[in-house]
């Protein structure tokens, strides 16, 4: 069985020829391949370490399981889809809502485990029936609205939890991160969030040395005198050791909050598979279902052990585009580095010590970018918001999600925020479409136009019939 773990040397193994690309089944010399793997690990730092901190989960376990999930993905796709899997920021809002309702880390991972199961099932369905089933249930107007309300639902977390801890540091970090995202080029622009994290870390350390303790809310919300940067946990952490594991706990209320994220992840995967296929010159429409299922399986394994969910990372796709090296050997090297980092508790303690004010500055931009990517889905798909069939369900769902509107069903059960908003968008759109006059039922573009050829023939053995028709992929939900 071909598992995609054999590579031929590209040219002399040193430098690709002008205009040439290193294909997934090729590699450079092993020292260069290992160096590229290390670069991929750095590229995913920005989100893959911030996300578990924001979710209240162990960053060491997060990085370790990202390596495991990447291996699963590479094996499942037989080495044809080069991609790194890291902690998804799409779940940050879900974790915040669940914890606000009194949920624990086990409750968070239990809810996200169910999302992984759902994502795995969607992937199997796409393999069997084609991508048309996705488009039928989740046209772009629905997908864009759900991504938007997931991002904007996070705004109160920044406003009430992170920003008050150190408003001036938050402001400076926000400005620095914004400049880094806009002004830097190439690889550095891909790690702008990570650079903002480092800048804030150093700024907080300097603030403690120059101004002493700050009088503000701490992580628990209690106003006290405290250090901006508390490194006491770093000093007590071991250099080598296993991360902390815990099993999931399942609560229906938490599961309902988390399930809407499946929509964002499907859109994200479709866009990434399309993008990689275009860059490598190998149409990958036949691997869309496999890629979605592999993401779901990696998330299930990670959350079963107490880690965060994992999904394909656009930052690493950007690194491939910049280097023109698409070798999956580099991703195997990156997975190896991630496993090693996960075995260093001291490294995780450094990440966990990120000051709240720093997170405040980063999340102002980060959460807004996630929300506005929903608008980008609308723009890319040409969604006409002048059409009331599109406008009404999207408007209602977004306001419910952003305002965290609650609907009490019974004494022990209620729907609110992300879950209620998503339900309104999906059911509202399809219900209105059933009764709308014919002139409002305009043809909707596909969620990702590159999957149209996959619908025509989803048999791996007939891959030559796939033309990979043009069109941009759905945008990702991570900056």
């Amino acid at each position: 069985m071909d598992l995609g773990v054999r590579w031929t040397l590209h040219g002399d193994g040193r430098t690709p020829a002008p205009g040439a690309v290193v294909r997934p089944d090729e590699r450079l010399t092993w020292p260069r391949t290992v160096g590229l793997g290390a670069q991929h690990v750095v590229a995913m730092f920005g989100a893959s370490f911030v996300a578990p901190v924001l979710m209240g989960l162990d960053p060491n376990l997060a990085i370790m399981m990202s390596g495991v999930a990447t291996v699963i993905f590479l094996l499942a796709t037989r080495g044809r889809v080069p991609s790194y899997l890291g902690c998804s920021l799409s779940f940050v809002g879900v974790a915040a809502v669940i914890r606000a309702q009194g949920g624990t880390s086990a409750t968070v991972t239990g809810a996200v485990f169910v999302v992984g199961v759902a994502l795995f099932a969607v992937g199997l369905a796409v393999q069997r029936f084609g991508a048309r089933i996705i488009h039928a249930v989740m046209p772009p107007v629905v997908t864009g609205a759900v991504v938007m309300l997931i991002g904007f639902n996070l705004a109160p977390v920044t406003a009430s939890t992170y920003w008050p801890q150190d408003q001036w540091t938050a402001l400076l970090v926000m400005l620095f991160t914004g400049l880094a995202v806009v002004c830097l080029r190439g690889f550095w622009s891909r790690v702008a969030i990570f650079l903002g994290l480092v800048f804030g870390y150093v700024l907080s350390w300097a603030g403690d040395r120059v101004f002493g303790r700050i009088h503000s809310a701490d992580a628990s919300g209690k106003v006290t005198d405290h250090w901006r940067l508390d490194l006491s946990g770093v000093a007590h952490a071991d250099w080598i050791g296993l991360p902390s594991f815990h099993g999931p706990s399942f609560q229906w209320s938490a599961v309902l909050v988390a399930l809407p994220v499946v929509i964002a992840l499907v859109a994200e995967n479709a866009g990434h598979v399309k993008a990689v296929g275009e860059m490598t010159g190998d149409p990958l429409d036949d691997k869309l279902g496999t890629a979605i299922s592999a993401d779901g399986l990696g998330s299930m394994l990670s959350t079963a052990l107490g880690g965060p969910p994992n999904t394909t990372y656009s930052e690493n796709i950007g690194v491939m585009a910049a280097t023109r090296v698409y070798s999956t050997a580099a991703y195997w090297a990156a997975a190896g580095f991630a496993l090693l980092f996960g075995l260093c508790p001291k490294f995780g303690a450094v990440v966990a010590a990120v000051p709240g004010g720093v997170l405040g500055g980063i999340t102002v931009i980060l959460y807004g970018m996630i929300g506005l990517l929903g608008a980008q889905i609308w723009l890319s798909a040409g969604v006409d918001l002048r059409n009331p069939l599109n406008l009404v369900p999207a408007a209602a769902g977004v306001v419910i999600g952003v305002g965290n509107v609650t609907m009490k069903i019974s004494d022990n059960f209620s729907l609110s925020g992300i879950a209620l908003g998503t339900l309104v968008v999906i059911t509202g759109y399809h219900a209105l479409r059933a009764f709308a006059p014919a002139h409002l039922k305009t043809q909707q573009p596909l969620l990702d136009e590159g999957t149209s050829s996959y619908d025509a023939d989803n048999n791996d053995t007939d891959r030559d019939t796939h033309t990979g028709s043009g069109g941009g992929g759905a945008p990702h939900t991570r900056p």
Side-chain angles (χ1 to χ4, degrees), residues 94-181:
V94 167
V97 172
I98 293 174
R99 290 186 181 278
Q101 296 174 348
T104 63
S105 293
T107 310
V108 171
T109 53
V112 178
F113 178 88
V114 177
V115 174
V117 173
L119 190 62
F120 180 77
V122 169
L124 294 180
V126 170
Q127 290 180 60
R128 176 64 180 86
F129 301 107
R132 63 174 62 89
I133 64 170
I134 299 176
H135 312 318
V137 178
M138 300 180 296
V141 61
V142 170
T143 306
V146 172
V147 172
M148 181 175 288
L149 69 86
I150 287 174
F152 291 157
N153 179 266
L154 297 167
V157 177
T158 294
S160 61
T161 301
Y162 297 126
W163 192 279
Q165 293 184 43
D166 189 352
Q167 60 176 358
W168 293 110
T169 295
L171 178 64
L172 292 173
V173 169
M174 179 192 71
L175 294 174
F176 177 90
T177 305
L179 287 171
V181 170

Side-chain angles (χ1 to χ4, degrees), residues 51 103 127 282 291 304 314 320 337 341 389 403 433 442:
Q127 290 180 60
D282 178 19
S314 58
M320 287 192 295
F337 279 119
F341 277 125
L389 177 58
R433 188 173 179 82
T442 54

Side-chain angles (χ1 to χ4, degrees), residues 205-287:
W205 176 85
D208 285 341
R209 297 299 176 274
V210 175
F211 302 108
R213 295 173 182 262
I214 185 174
H215 183 75
S216 68
D218 57 16
S220 66
K222 183 179 180 181
V223 177
T224 62
D225 291 322
H226 61 92
W227 297 110
R228 296 169 180 82
L229 178 62
D230 183 5
L231 296 175
S232 59
V234 178
H236 294 93
D238 295 328
W239 281 103
I240 299 176
L242 290 173
S244 57
F245 299 98
H246 69 259
S249 175
F250 302 97
Q251 295 182 10
W252 274 112
S253 58
V255 170
L256 289 175
V257 170
L259 274 176
V261 181
V262 170
I263 298 175
L265 296 182
V266 170
E268 184 176 27
N269 271 272
H272 287 178
V273 171
K274 173 63 179 176
V276 173
E278 288 183 343
M279 288 188 294
T280 60
D282 178 19
L284 297 172
D285 300 336
D286 58 298
K287 288 297 182 183

Side-chain angles (χ1 to χ4, degrees), residues 39 55 98 160 200 226 277 405 445 464:
Q39 181 171 314
M55 295 175 68
I98 293 174
S160 61
H226 61 92
V405 175
D464 290 341

Side-chain angles (χ1 to χ4, degrees), residues 2 9 15 20 43 64 67 81 100 120 142 146 163 166 184 186 233 253 293 352 364 370 382 409 434 463:
D2 181 15
L9 193 65
T15 306
M64 174 183 286
V81 187
F120 180 77
V142 170
V146 172
W163 192 279
D166 189 352
L184 296 180
S253 58
S293 291
V364 162
I370 294 173
I409 309 299
R463 231 174 37 236

Side-chain angles (χ1 to χ4, degrees), residues 273-425:
V273 171
K274 173 63 179 176
V276 173
E278 288 183 343
M279 288 188 294
T280 60
D282 178 19
L284 297 172
D285 300 336
D286 58 298
K287 288 297 182 183
L288 174 60
T290 302
I292 294 175
S293 291
D295 269 19
L297 184 59
S299 293
M300 290 163 59
L301 179 59
S302 177
T303 52
L305 297 176
N310 292 288
T311 188
T312 53
Y313 256 39
S314 58
E315 288 90 338
N316 298 89
I317 292 175
V319 171
M320 287 192 295
T323 61
R324 301 180 66 82
V325 177
Y326 305 99
S327 172
T328 54
Y331 282 105
W332 278 93
F337 279 119
L339 291 172
L340 291 177
F341 277 125
L343 294 173
C344 180
K346 192 173 287 292
F347 181 76
V350 171
V351 176
V354 175
V358 177
L359 295 176
I362 289 176
T363 54
V364 162
I365 295 176
L366 200 59
Y367 294 167
M369 290 173 70
I370 294 173
L372 289 177
L373 284 172
Q376 182 60 43
I377 291 177
W378 288 339
L379 291 173
S380 298
V383 174
D384 185 5
L385 291 179
R386 295 170 299 179
N387 186 337
L389 177 58
N390 296 330
L391 179 62
V392 171
V398 168
V399 168
I400 288 173
V402 174
N404 208 31
V405 175
T406 299
M407 184 173 182
K408 188 174 182 180
I409 309 299
S410 68
D411 291 338
N412 300 317
F413 180 72
S414 63
L415 288 171
S416 64
I418 295 174
L420 182 59
T422 300
L423 185 64
V424 167
V425 173

Side-chain angles (χ1 to χ4, degrees), residues 466-477:
H466 298 302
T467 59
S469 58
H476 52 78
T477 56

